Structures are given as C-alpha cells and as structure tokens.
C-alpha cells in the first residue's frame, strides 16, 4: 500500500535527467582507500507536492521532500553545488560532518542569494563517517526554511564497518522523520508561541509518508533514522515491548549494541537501530508521548513505521562487537568552560554569553552546560564531535561521539570536545530550530 522507503526509492524520487551526476551517490563504499569525487547538485526550489493526501507547496531540494540521499565514503571528495531558486537567501549546513568550517567547507557564514549558486567542497577524514543530514543555516531563516521542507539525508560510509559481518549482511534503510501541518496548501505559519516552544506539526512523515511499511530484504535491519523536525522529540520503542538495539549515535558506532527499552531522538539527532525480525512477524516502531516541558508529543502512542520480514527469514544474530571507541580523558582537558542555557546562552553569573568562545586547535576542552530553563534544550556544536563525560555528575554508561545532545530542565552535562584537525569559525546553538533563530546561537573560533 505504502511505497517502500528504501534507499533506492529515496534516490529514485524526483531525480531528473539533468542531475545525472546524482546517480553517482548510490555507489557503495570503496573497498580500498581509492578516493573518488562525488558530485551533487541541489536546487532549492518551491514545488507543489502531495503529502499525506494533501497538496502542499513546500520548499524542496530537486523537487524531493525530503531531499535526495547523498552518499559517499570516508576520504571521498564531496562537491555539492547549491542552486538557489528560492525568492530569499539560503545556504547549506552539513550537520555533523567533521570538515573545515572555512572557505568552501561547512561555512554557514556563506549566504547564497536568489538566482545564485555556491559549490561546497568537503572531505570527511577516516574515522569520521556516519549518518548526517543537510539543511539551510541562514541567519534567522533556519527554522522557517527547515519547517517548509528543506532537509535531506547524508551518509558517509566507513569501510571499516564491513569487517562486522552482521552489519554487512543487514538490510539498511535511511529514514528521515519530519513533521508538518498544512494550512491552505502551505506549511502552517509560525505563531508567537512556536518561537518559544518550537514548532511541531500534526502529521509525522517518514521519508515523506505517514506510517510507511518497509519490506526488509534480510532478517536484520539497520535503520539509520534522522530526526529532521524543527522541535519534535522522538521517544522511540518497539510496540512488542522488546528492547531496541542501539548501534550508533549520529552514525558513529558504539563499542557494542545497547539494549534499551526506549531511545530518545531529539531534533537533529540520528540513531542507528538494529532490528532483528522474526519470520511472519511485522515489527512496529512507535513513538511514545514525551513532555519537553514546553510541549507533549504525540498525544498518545503512534506507529512511526512498520517493517515486514522477508518471506524466508532465518534468524540473524546481533553483532557482539561493533567498533573500538576512544574514551576521552577529562584529566587531559586544557580548558574548562561553564555555560547556562535558558532561551539564550548565559554566563555562570546569568549574563548573556556574547563573546565568541576562543579555543586552541589541538586542545581538549571540558564544557559544563546547565539547563536553567523549564523546557528541554538541544545543544549542537558544528564541525567538532564531542563526548558526554557526565550528566548530573554521573559518568556516561559508554563512550560515544555526539554532535547534538538533549539537556533536560535542571540538568548539568559535562562534555569533552577535542578541537582536532580544523581551525576556523563555527557556531554552537540550540537545535530546537526556533530557539536557535531566536538567539540561542553563539560563535566558536578555533585558532592554530
Ligand atoms: Cu532550545
């Protein structure tokens, strides 16, 4: 009934002949370290599409909602040309990529005027592959452009992962979750309250479809799930009460799968879930009501997607080990900083944090961030992945690389950031998109 939302159908959706170079993005990861050039053109343009049975004029990349899957491997050179066919400035941010924030890199200070184009050149170093996504990051326009549709998936394959046979044999699906409310054929306008709470939509769409059914081609599914909503928290679980097997945060593999009853995926976060299928038993992934302090979504348990096992499913074992994950040492931190989050970033004495953070290239920094507000905030740092060391003084149960974390009201999180490889100016901000636009955004300058 619903189209299967495999990688192939995502790629196939709306890719015109004029964009033949996009075909290259489906190539599997290279076996050796052969460097390839992966070229993609993304045209940002308004287009009327049918979503959940309604005609709606969205902002799209190449007419797709969400945008097409871009796929490359560690070490590849990724050349992405953004063509702005909108009537307002836009740009691209490659969320989570460990690449230079300067020049033609992940430079959010570049703005592309209507009718103009800009080419980004990105190269993800070995060890930094994962599940990412792209979206606009124009000053004070991020929330509206993202809400109206501009977002797409980006996967950087790690050749090393093929040494885990269970992962190599798994059937992989990349899914982008986005919510939407439509009024008079357009995405609903922001209200005053939306700027305080963050904007959520009535329909929850998985690769543009509500509640899709995916047909699995193997009895173990690797789901790369991206929360591309402005503000919706996704608290995920299986409807049969069995635990979810979490393999990766933001696509960076954990040392071993973690069995968890529920997994929270905040806006902009990604999770890789390993879903073993039983013969004849469809698996339903549900979202459970979650109260952020500002908003509770959904009202009751809702099915996000269903996965049907293949006709001949033989049980697949879960991998016991996934990867070696470095554990950062807090004793090695050169600098300690303290930040507070309310509807702005604040200094420890409660003043607005206005000065750019100046960090030294090569330093490990320890940032203590406390949410002094009554609602969740979502901390995101561009370019340099970090690890959570402690939450409210309790050490993280396992080391994991992150770029986006949830901080609950009253919570104090200590993170370790190695400012490695790239100097330059970037930003950190709240990824409840409306909060970022409303001023929860600061600059970090990494100097050699
Ligand atoms: Cu926030």
């Amino acid at each position: 009934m619903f189209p299967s939302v495999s990688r192939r159908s995502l790629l196939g959706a709306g890719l015109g002949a004029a964009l033949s170079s996009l075909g290259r993005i489906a190539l599997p990861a290279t076996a050796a370290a052969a460097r390839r050039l992966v070229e993609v053109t993304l045209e940002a343009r308004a287009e009327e599409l049918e979503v959940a049975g309604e005609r709606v004029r969205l902002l799209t990349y190449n007419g797709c909602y969400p945008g097409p899957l871009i796929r490359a491997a560690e070490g590849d050179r990724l050349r992405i040309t953004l063509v702005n066919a909108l009537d307002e400035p836009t740009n691209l941010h490659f969320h989570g990529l460990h690449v230079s924030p300067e020049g033609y890199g992940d430079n959010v200070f570049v703005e592309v005027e209507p009718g103009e184009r800009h080419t980004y050149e990105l190269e993800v170093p070995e060890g930094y592959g994962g599940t990412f996504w792209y979206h606009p990051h124009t000053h004070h326009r991020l929330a509206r452009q993202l809400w109206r549709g501009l977002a797409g998936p980006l996967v950087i394959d790690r050749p090393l992962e093929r040494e885990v046979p269970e992962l190599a044999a798994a059937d992989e699906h990349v899914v982008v979750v986005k919510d939407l409310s439509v009024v008079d054929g357009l995405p609903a306008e922001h209200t005053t309250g939306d700027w305080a709470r963050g904007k959520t939509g009535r329909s929850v769409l998985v690769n543009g479809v509500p509640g899709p059914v995916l047909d699995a081609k193997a009895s173990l599914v690797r789901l790369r799930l991206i929360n591309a909503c402005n503000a919706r928290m996704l608290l995920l679980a299986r409807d049969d009460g069995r635990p979810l097997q979490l393999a990766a945060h933001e696509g960076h593999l954990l040392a071993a799968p973690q069995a968890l009853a529920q997994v929270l995926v905040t806006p902009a976060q990604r999770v890789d879930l390993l879903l073993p299928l039983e013969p004849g038993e469809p698996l339903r992934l549900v979202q459970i009501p979650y109260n952020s302090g500002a908003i509770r979504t959904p009202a009751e348990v809702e099915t996000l997607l269903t996965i049907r096992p293949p006709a001949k499913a033989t049980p697949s074992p879960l991998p016991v080990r996934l990867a070696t994950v470095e554990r950062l040492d807090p004793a090695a931190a050169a600098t300690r900083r303290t930040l507070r989050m309310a509807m702005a970033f604040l200094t420890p004495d409660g003043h607005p944090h206005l000065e750019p953070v100046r960090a030294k290239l090569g330093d490990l920094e320890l940032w203590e961030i406390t949410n002094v507000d009554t609602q969740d905030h979502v901390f995101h740092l561009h370019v340099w992945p970090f690890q959570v060391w402690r939450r409210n003084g309790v050490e993280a149960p396992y080391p994991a690389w992150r770029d986006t974390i949830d901080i609950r009201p009253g919570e104090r999180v200590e993170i370790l950031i190695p400012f490695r490889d790239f100097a330059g100016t970037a930003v950190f901000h709240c990824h409840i998109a409306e909060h970022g636009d409303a001023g929860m955004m600061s600059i970090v300058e990494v100097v050699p």
Side-chain angles (χ1 to χ4, degrees), residues 376-378 430 432 435 440:
D376 288 32
H377 290 293
V378 177
C430 181
I432 291 173
H435 293 177
M440 292 192 74

Side-chain angles (χ1 to χ4, degrees), residues 127-383:
Y128 289 90
T131 312
F132 308 105
W133 61 299
Y134 56 90
H135 61 79
H137 212 292
T138 33
H139 198 45
H140 298 313
R141 294 175 194 273
L142 186 162
R144 270 175 289 217
Q145 292 188 357
L146 177 63
W147 168 249
R148 289 160 70 193
L150 291 178
L154 169 57
V155 172
I156 304 290
D157 285 304
R158 300 197 60 192
L160 204 64
E161 288 187 4
R162 267 170 294 140
E163 291 172 19
V164 183
E166 297 88 348
L167 285 184
D171 181 24
E172 188 190 295
H173 294 259
V174 180
V175 296
V176 177
V177 181
K178 210 151 176 14
D179 57 356
L180 183 67
S181 293
V182 177
V183 177
D184 297 332
L186 289 167
E189 294 283 338
H190 277 72
T191 64
T192 310
D194 289 336
W195 294 105
R197 290 186 300 267
K199 190 159 185 66
T200 53
R202 274 191 304 275
S203 304
V204 179
L205 306 158
V206 178
N207 289 353
V209 178
V213 178
L214 283 66
D215 283 310
K217 291 186 278 299
S219 52
L220 182 65
V221 164
R222 176 184 187 171
L223 192 71
R224 293 185 187 254
L225 185 143
I226 300 164
N227 183 349
C229 298
N230 279 44
R232 175 179 289 263
M233 303 279 181
L234 295 172
L235 183 58
L236 304 180
R238 291 173 57 135
D239 82 328
D240 59 12
R242 287 187 229 171
L244 287 169
Q245 300 288 340
L246 178 71
H249 287 291
E250 346 293 23
H252 308 299
L253 288 181
L254 307 177
Q258 298 288 320
L260 300 166
Q262 302 177 341
V263 174
L264 179 68
V265 192
T266 73
Q269 280 184 337
R270 293 83 66 208
V271 287
D272 284 33
L273 300 174
L274 295 179
L275 302 166
L277 301 169
E278 304 287 339
E281 279 181 43
L283 184 156
R284 257 175 288 279
L285 188 67
V286 298
Q287 45 163 336
I288 294 172
Y290 179 86
N291 188 345
S292 74
I295 197 157
R296 183 177 182 272
T297 50
E300 49 195 62
V301 175
E302 272 181 25
T303 298
L304 192 66
L305 59 90
T306 303
I307 303 176
R308 271 196 301 238
K312 283 188 221 149
T314 45
S316 297
L318 285 168
V320 178
R321 289 211 32 87
L322 291 170
T324 304
V325 184
E326 176 188 2
R327 187 187 282 270
L328 298 171
D329 176 10
T335 305
R336 187 184 180 99
R337 302 182 196 271
T338 309
L339 284 173
R340 292 182 178 195
M341 281 176 115
M343 280 303 283
F345 286 101
L346 304 171
T347 61
D349 52 6
H351 294 103
H353 173 84
L354 299 172
E355 294 293 308
V357 168
R358 273 240 166 82
K360 200 160 150 272
L361 181 64
D363 272 3
L364 177 70
E365 295 210 353
L366 171 55
W367 291 18
E368 180 187 307
I369 309 166
T370 304
N371 182 350
V372 295
D373 204 353
T374 52
Q375 62 170 308
D376 288 32
H377 290 293
V378 177
F379 176 85
H380 169 49
L381 171 65
H382 289 208
V383 179

Side-chain angles (χ1 to χ4, degrees), residues 74-105:
E74 290 174 353
D76 286 347
R77 177 159 288 267
L78 197 48
R79 182 176 292 158
I80 300 176
T81 299
L82 173 68
V83 178
N84 184 2
L86 306 176
D87 55 10
E88 59 181 307
T90 189
N91 65 2
L92 286 172
H93 167 48
F94 305 95
H95 186 116
L97 286 198
H98 182 55
V99 293
S100 170
E102 302 274 276
Y104 296 96

Side-chain angles (χ1 to χ4, degrees), residues 7-16 19-30 36-42 61-62 64 66-74 76-81 94 122 134 152-157 172 174:
R7 177 173 34 155
R8 183 177 306 155
S9 63
L10 243 186
L11 276 166
L15 296 185
L19 298 156
S20 57
S21 62
L22 271 174
R24 304 177 62 163
I25 64 188
L27 289 174
T30 46
R36 299 178 311 165
L37 174 66
V38 177
E39 287 189 273
V40 179
T41 300
L42 294 175
Y61 293 113
N62 302 349
C64 303
L69 171 65
I70 300 175
R71 190 150 202 161
E74 290 174 353
D76 286 347
R77 177 159 288 267
L78 197 48
R79 182 176 292 158
I80 300 176
T81 299
F94 305 95
L122 312 162
Y134 56 90
L154 169 57
V155 172
I156 304 290
D157 285 304
E172 188 190 295
V174 180

